[in-house]
Amino acid sequence: MPLIATAYLCFASALIAAFAGLLWLPITVGFPAVVWGAVTRNGRVAGLAMTLIAGTLVGVTTPETARSPRRIHSDAAADSSMLGRARDNAAKSIDRIFGDDAPMARALLIADQHRISPEMKDKYSRAGMIHMLSISGLHVAIIAASVILMLQAARIPRGMASLLAVLITALYVAMIGAQPPAVRSAVMLAAVAASKATQRPTSPWAGLAIGAFVPLVQPRTVLDLGYQLSVVGIAGLIASGSLNRRLLRNRFSGWKHHVSRELLTSVIATIVTAPIIAWYFGRISIIAPVANLWAGPVVSVLQPLLFLTLLLAQFDAVARFLADAAHPLLATFDMIATLAAAVPGASVAIVPSLVTVIAGAGAVVAMSVAIASVYPARPLILSASLLCIITVAPAVPIPYRGGIEMHVLDVGQGDAILIRTDKGRWIVFDAGRIWKTGDAGRSTIIPYIRSRGGDVIAFVLSHPHSDHLGGAVSIIEGLDPEEFWDSAFPQGSAAYEATLRAAIAAGIEWNRVQSGGTMSADGVTVRFLAPDSTWTASLSDPNEASTIALVEFGAARFLLTGDAEEAEEGWLLDHARRDLKADVLKVAHHGSSTSSTEGFLAAVNPALAVISVGADNLYGHPSADVLAALGRVGARTLRTDESGTVVIRTDGRRIIATASGVEWDISRK
């Protein structure tokens, strides 16, 4: 019992830190001593082996080589570490071998979800299978078990097979860039192997404690979604094993015991990961236990096949043969997600706050303790109490440090730009896409804002195309903005009319965007440079009537251009040239060759250009000519299809851009 209590104390601290991002220092300082005591108490040799392995992996993931957050300035090159190059090479091999299935294979093999569309992420979230789209302990454990099975089939002694499996798994972890969940799983695998080799049993909680600690050599790893799901998921797995031994082992046998055990594991995994899923995706899947029960066997066969394909990527014919065998399994895996997400009531959309998520995390920890304990009464009471807090707790925003921020969200082939004011309030420019079962407003924008706190001052629509308008109704109904600004281009569409009706029903003040108009809030000034009503009257293309907004805070200037094309850029050069200069440019029309003319870019002269674009889109955006033109004016370019969401922060003087955990100082000298 003391061991379980100690392990759960560490686990609870790590989990709360993962949500609040406040407790990493006590973890990284105090965690090793607690874990060392737990390990040496149950197996000194295993503890020594784990220390050596942990030290090796810590060396691999030092700040100079890890792909975790770090700061580089505007003249720094992209990640060129050995691990970074290995991951990039793996990605190129996957693209070459898997063709249309490459985005899914990338996610399952190297934890790269940048090419997974928002529609697919929403589907897997509703199905409760979103955790399977990132590298976790499950993926690494399946590969390790498969390696051991193959080595034993080759009549290699079990001890040697376990050692080779650890080495091969370490090679895989390095190949995919030492992702934190994979490192955690590899450390636990090594602990188990060392324990068995020395015949000194070690508690699985001690193994989890060290496995969770090692990636925290980079403290901000605790904020990584894959790391959080990996640690919490394996804790649920260990707890479900304890409950299985008490409840199921003596009641069922054969296939009944196997099915009941897997269902129990899936249910507990769903429960313990629910606060994290709710925090990041704004929903809880009810169908998840059943979906994971069906998807588990498919992944168990698919994952080692994908790994073997990547391992033999240099032998093109063999690799393509294996990839052909993997395609039906990938299709089956996706079909399970599709069917599960289509079940009525498959998931429940929620709006999380910091208080409710931390209380939910505490409730899950207490529930996990109850599951693993032979005396569950007290932790169950604590869990019930925390759940009660969730029902009555007010929404408390995360404390905001001030300044303004521009968030260019990754919504695929569409636009959604958020401006956060000096007081933590928001101005939303565009609402992303809409699809058959959802929209970017509901799946991305609302959870993003609610998880950070703050009211929405205004919603600004650049023009009424579906990739900018798609989530507008959800934003109006879910975020209740005080004002709605619209270029009012006279184009009849059902989505645009629904947006106007939603604004009227919500009693939101409607304002027409006109050249020369302004909006101010919390020290931020938004100046509308276009469209001009006379200009708009002569147009037939909504793109050319896009809202052009200059956001100013102190000396910092951000220019947002919607889908403006060459004609509107020419109008701006004729009528507002002196107002175009900006530090940050949201590139027009997703980087289309019909926009971003040489004269316009020269007038803006941006230090940073951000392109909101979907991976592998049908339009070929962004244009190579546009990228070259941006380079000629000296702009650093960031793309959401490559870097995900881009955040630019400024105090009015200094400007810092962040993408994929990397920071650039783009301040003017």
Side-chain angles (χ1 to χ4, degrees), residues 1-12 31 34-36 38-39 42 50 184 187-188 191-192 201-213 230-243 245-246 268 272 364-373:
M1 282 301 297
L3 176 60
I4 293 178
T6 300
Y8 260 121
L9 179 61
C10 297
F11 168 55
F31 211 28
V34 175
V35 174
W36 173 254
V39 174
N42 291 271
M50 279 304 303
R184 193 275 311 154
V187 169
M188 288 194 68
V192 172
T202 300
S203 166
W205 295 108
L208 171 61
I210 283 194
F213 165 71
S230 179
V231 172
V232 176
I234 198 66
L237 182 63
I238 296 172
S240 67
S242 176
L243 191 61
R245 289 189 293 272
R246 295 205 311 271
I268 292 177
V272 299
V364 165
V365 170
M367 189 181 303
S368 300
V369 173
I371 291 171
S373 175

Side-chain angles (χ1 to χ4, degrees), residues 513-534:
V513 173
Q514 295 191 58
S515 176
T518 61
M519 172 177 57
S520 299
D522 305 338
V524 176
T525 299
V526 179
R527 289 201 286 142
F528 296 111
L529 307 183
D532 175 77
S533 56
T534 304

Side-chain angles (χ1 to χ4, degrees), residues 162 164 186 191 201 214 281 346 357-358 378 484 527 589 603:
S162 297
L164 290 174
V214 169
F281 299 100
V357 172
I358 290 180
R378 290 182 180 179
F484 175 22
R527 289 201 286 142
H589 202 180

Side-chain angles (χ1 to χ4, degrees), residues 142 146 295-306 325 329:
I142 288 173
S146 301
V298 177
V299 173
S300 297
V301 178
L302 175 61
Q303 197 67 32
L305 184 58
L306 294 175
L329 291 171

Side-chain angles (χ1 to χ4, degrees), residues 563-585:
D563 274 1
E565 298 193 348
E566 182 176 354
E568 188 170 16
E569 290 179 353
W571 187 93
L572 287 165
L573 289 172
D574 291 339
H575 297 84
R577 178 184 292 269
R578 289 180 297 177
D579 296 321
L580 293 178
K581 187 175 180 59
D583 302 288
V584 179
L585 170 67

Side-chain angles (χ1 to χ4, degrees), residues 205-501:
W205 295 108
L208 171 61
I210 283 194
F213 165 71
V214 169
L216 295 183
V217 67
Q218 293 290 332
R220 287 184 64 182
T221 297
V222 79
L223 302 177
D224 179 77
L225 172 61
Y227 171 82
Q228 294 170 18
L229 288 175
S230 179
V231 172
V232 176
I234 198 66
L237 182 63
I238 296 172
S240 67
S242 176
L243 191 61
N244 169 59
R245 289 189 293 272
R246 295 205 311 271
L247 297 183
L248 303 180
R249 179 177 291 177
N250 297 326
R251 297 187 182 186
F252 301 101
S253 61
W255 69 268
K256 292 182 180 179
H257 176 256
H258 178 76
V259 172
S260 60
R261 181 188 64 198
E262 293 299 322
L263 185 59
L264 175 67
T265 301
S266 184
V267 169
I268 292 177
T270 299
I271 292 173
V272 299
T273 57
I276 299 176
I277 299 297
W279 179 259
Y280 282 98
F281 299 100
R283 64 173 68 248
I284 295 176
S285 176
I286 308 301
I287 198 70
V290 176
N292 283 275
L293 185 65
W294 283 98
V298 177
V299 173
S300 297
V301 178
L302 175 61
Q303 197 67 32
L305 184 58
L306 294 175
F307 171 64
L308 188 60
T309 305
L310 181 59
L311 200 63
L312 300 175
Q314 298 305 314
F315 304 96
D316 193 69
V318 176
R320 292 187 184 277
F321 175 80
L322 294 172
D324 288 341
H327 290 312
L329 291 171
L330 287 166
T332 302
F333 180 67
D334 189 63
M335 181 184 67
I336 293 171
T338 301
L339 293 175
V343 173
S347 65
V348 177
I350 64 169
V351 179
S353 71
L354 182 61
V355 170
T356 58
V357 172
I358 290 180
V364 165
V365 170
M367 189 181 303
S368 300
V369 173
I371 291 171
S373 175
V374 294
Y375 302 106
R378 290 182 180 179
L380 279 177
I381 292 172
L382 176 60
S383 180
S385 300
L386 290 170
L387 290 174
C388 290
I389 291 176
I390 291 174
T391 63
V392 298
V396 179
I398 299 174
Y400 183 51
R401 61 188 179 186
I404 75 162
E405 298 175 342
M406 173 177 165
H407 300 244
V408 183
L409 302 191
D410 179 13
V411 291
Q413 186 68 11
D415 272 11
I417 296 99
L418 314 179
I419 301 296
R420 197 177 196 183
T421 73
D422 197 36
K423 294 184 178 179
R425 300 195 296 169
W426 301 87
I427 303 171
V428 180
F429 287 82
D430 288 333
R433 306 165 61 193
I434 189 170
W435 51 89
K436 186 176 181 180
T437 57
D439 60 72
R442 176 62 59 187
S443 67
T444 303
I445 301 171
I446 292 177
Y448 193 92
I449 290 178
R450 287 304 190 201
S451 66
R452 288 158 177 78
D455 297 329
V456 175
I457 302 170
F459 171 62
V460 181
L461 178 64
S462 67
H463 65 292
H465 276 164
S466 61
D467 57 334
H468 296 249
L469 175 68
V473 172
S474 293
I475 288 174
I476 289 170
E477 295 177 348
L479 296 177
D480 192 27
E482 297 173 12
E483 300 177 359
F484 175 22
W485 290 77
D486 175 18
S487 61
F489 186 83
Q491 181 195 43
S493 73
Y496 182 56
E497 292 173 4
T499 301
L500 295 177
R501 287 195 297 270

